Amino acid sequence: MVLARHEMGEVLRDVRLRRGDTLRQVASRAAVALGYLSEIERGQKEPSSEILASVAEALDTPLSEIYHAVGDRIAARERDQRLVGVIPDTVPEDLIASVGPIESIA
């Protein structure tokens, strides 16, 4: 199951790390407790829109850009989940039998 809070945490962490900021720096600028911001980044807490706006401002990143990135990540995860089982992770026995032995290239 895809959870928005996990994807939000990943996006916020990615933005923070790209900027070269520490968790402590962002928490201080956003006026958010360091432990709480850490829980958000790890997908353990789902922040309010006010907290998200504050963190986005602390990261000097438009909130719409963060939401867009989260949406893209969720869409990719949903696509991945739909493909599970579509592509076999093993070669069917009847296909192996129809090909016959394969010479090793050494």
Side-chain angles (χ1 to χ4, degrees):
M1 174 186 329
V2 179
L3 294 178
R5 73 172 187 262
H6 290 158
E7 302 309 322
M8 178 62 73
E10 289 291 326
V11 167
L12 293 175
R13 178 181 289 126
D14 289 348
V15 171
R16 177 178 63 78
L17 293 175
R18 270 197 315 263
R19 289 179 39 88
D21 291 337
T22 65
L23 198 59
R24 186 175 304 281
Q25 290 169 324
V26 175
S28 176
R29 288 194 306 260
V32 174
L34 176 67
Y36 185 63
L37 184 55
S38 175
E39 288 177 318
I40 292 170
E41 281 194 0
R42 288 181 281 135
Q44 295 177 334
K45 296 289 182 183
E46 194 153 353
S48 67
S49 57
E50 291 86 359
I51 295 290
L52 281 176
S54 183
V55 172
E57 187 175 321
L59 291 169
D60 195 30
T61 303
L63 187 56
S64 59
E65 190 175 304
I66 290 171
Y67 276 118
H68 190 273
V70 170
D72 287 347
R73 290 178 63 93
I74 290 172
R77 297 277 190 266
E78 288 172 341
R79 271 192 309 275
D80 291 348
Q81 286 181 351
R82 283 194 305 270
L83 292 177
V84 171
V86 173
I87 301 171
D89 60 354
T90 59
V91 179
E93 293 296 325
D94 58 334
L95 179 59
I96 292 172
S98 71
V99 173
I102 298 175
E103 298 287 324
S104 173
I105 302 174

